Structure formats: C-alpha cells, structure tokens
C-alpha cells in the first residue's frame, strides 16, 4: 500500500512539473501563478502546495528533472577530445529540435525567465549551467592539447569563449527549423578543424 502511495505521489509531481513547463512557456516565470500550474497539471491547488511551497520551488524541481534526464554523457570511452566536443555539440543541437522536457526547460531558462529580482534563484541556475558548459569545453581543450590535437600554445580561455559563443549562435540558426541542422553541423565541424591552425588563438 505504501508503495502505491509513493507511486501516486510521483505521478502527481510529474503532472505538476509537466503543467509547470506548459505554464512557464506560455506566460513566462514572472507572470505564472501556482493556480495556473495547477490548472495546466489537472490537479487541485492544494495538491500543488502539498508538494511545493511556491512557483520558484516548482521551477527548480522542473529544472532538476530535465537536467537529470539530460545528464552529460560525454566523453564516450576512447573518444578523442575533438570528437567529444563535436559529438556533445551535435547532440545538444539535435536535442534543441527534439520536443521534450529538456527542450522546453532550456527554452524557459533562456527565453522565459525574466531578469528580475524575484527570479534570482532561477537565473543562478542558468548561470551555473553556463559555467558548467564553459568548464566542459575548457576541459576538452586541455585534453586536446595533451593528445596533440591542438597546439600547446593554444589560448584555452579565448578558444573556449569562441566555441561557446559559436554554439549560442548555432541555436539561433536552428530557430529557422530542422533544415538548418546540417548547416550548423558543418559550421561546427569547420570551427573545430580550423581551430588548431588559427594563429589568433595562440598565446602571445
């Protein structure tokens, strides 16, 4: 009996988080209310408050769930640093086009979370995600130098800034639809292949 109760509670939480994704996408974080989330989830307001104190706590749980589903799977065993960077970037570019919880949550984080004091805790999560991305790219560039895929004189900080900014720009291209994905992958491939030979990215 206890197991059934636990499973029912999880189903309710999942319904609430699904409703939160729809609500935040439609209204933004600032304009959403717990009542809106309850309506979108098809549960009572009491059920929402039974699991979460406020909408920001709901939003945090929503982000945690998406990040857990989307745990970083790179590098693959035996993969070079260059292959890891390419494969990871290609994975996330394709995922941007794949309807699902991670796609919706990233859209909420970067397009629907207003820069206001009330949203500070959510904005910090976004900043953490950005820092983790930068840390991952820097780590792979260090691996690339160790594996002699990149020159020892590579300016890792500058090269990481370049790749992360490039990746953000590719997301904008993908807003034109899935037909843009092959172009994005070619741009990414060209950037990674050209980086070892670009004198501008070596230390002075």
């Amino acid at each position: 009996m206890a197991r059934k109760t636990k499973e029912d509670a999880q189903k309710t939480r999942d319904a609430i988080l699904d409703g939160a994704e729809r609500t935040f996408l439609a209204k933004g974080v600032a304009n959403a209310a717990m009542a809106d989330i309850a309506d979108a989830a098809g549960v009572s307001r009491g059920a929402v408050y039974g699991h979460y104190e406020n909408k920001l706590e709901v939003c945090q749980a929503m982000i945690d769930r998406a990040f857990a589903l989307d745990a970083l799977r790179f590098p693959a065993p035996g993969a070079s640093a260059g292959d890891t960077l390419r494969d990871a970037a290609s994975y996330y570019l394709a995922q941007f086009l794949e309807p699902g919880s991670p796609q919706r949550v990233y859209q909420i984080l970067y397009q629907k979370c207003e820069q206001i004091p009330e949203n500070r805790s959510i904005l910090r999560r976004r900043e953490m995600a950005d820092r983790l991305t930068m840390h991952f790219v820097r780590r792979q560039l260090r691996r690339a130098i160790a594996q002699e895929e990149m020159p020892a004189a590579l300016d890792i900080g500058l090269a990481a800034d370049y790749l992360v900014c490039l990746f953000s720009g590719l997301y904008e291209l993908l807003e034109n639809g899935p037909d843009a994905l092959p172009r994005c992958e070619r741009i990414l491939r060209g950037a990674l292949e050209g980086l070892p030979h670009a004198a501008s990215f070596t230390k002075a």
Side-chain angles (χ1 to χ4, degrees):
M1 186 70 179
R3 183 179 177 184
K4 182 179 179 182
T5 301
K6 184 177 180 180
E7 289 174 351
D8 288 345
Q10 186 59 53
K11 287 180 181 178
T12 300
R13 282 193 292 270
D14 284 336
I16 291 168
L17 299 183
D18 290 343
E21 289 177 1
R22 293 190 291 272
T23 300
F24 293 139
L25 272 177
K27 297 193 169 190
V29 176
N31 293 322
M34 291 287 269
D36 298 323
I37 295 171
D39 290 344
V43 301
S44 68
R45 298 183 193 182
V48 179
Y49 280 107
H51 291 280
Y52 305 103
E53 289 188 8
N54 53 56
K55 69 177 180 182
L56 293 180
E57 191 172 293
V58 175
C59 194
Q60 293 279 12
M62 178 194 75
I63 295 167
D64 288 341
R65 182 180 69 162
F67 283 7
L69 291 171
D70 191 35
L72 198 60
R73 303 179 299 175
F74 305 95
S80 70
D83 288 345
T84 297
L85 282 169
R86 186 196 65 242
D87 292 347
S90 295
Y91 169 78
Y92 285 106
L93 288 172
Q95 191 179 67
F96 182 83
L97 299 169
E98 183 69 28
S101 185
Q103 183 201 60
R104 291 190 292 271
V105 169
Y106 276 102
Q107 189 175 351
I108 291 165
L109 273 175
Y110 289 94
Q111 298 177 4
K112 298 291 184 175
C113 187
E114 302 84 352
Q115 295 274 354
I116 59 174
E118 179 188 2
N119 290 344
R120 188 174 295 115
S121 63
I122 308 303
L123 293 170
R124 280 200 297 266
R125 290 300 299 273
R126 188 173 78 185
E127 291 167 3
M128 183 186 301
D130 292 340
R131 286 198 299 271
L132 287 172
T133 298
M134 183 63 73
H135 176 73
F136 174 79
V137 173
R138 284 173 174 262
R139 182 154 45 91
Q140 299 312 314
L141 290 173
R142 292 189 188 96
R143 284 185 64 221
I145 292 173
Q147 294 170 348
E148 299 184 351
E149 296 179 85
M150 299 281 177
L154 181 74
D155 187 325
I156 292 175
L158 187 62
D161 286 343
Y162 164 67
L163 291 175
V164 170
C165 289
L166 173 72
F167 195 62
S168 297
L170 294 180
Y171 273 133
E172 292 187 16
L173 272 181
L174 286 180
E175 290 178 359
N176 295 320
D179 289 345
L181 183 58
R183 291 176 59 211
C184 289
E185 290 178 333
R186 286 180 63 190
I187 292 170
L188 176 65
R189 206 161 44 241
L192 290 172
E193 290 173 357
L195 192 57
H197 313 290
S200 299
F201 288 101
T202 56
K203 297 175 184 176

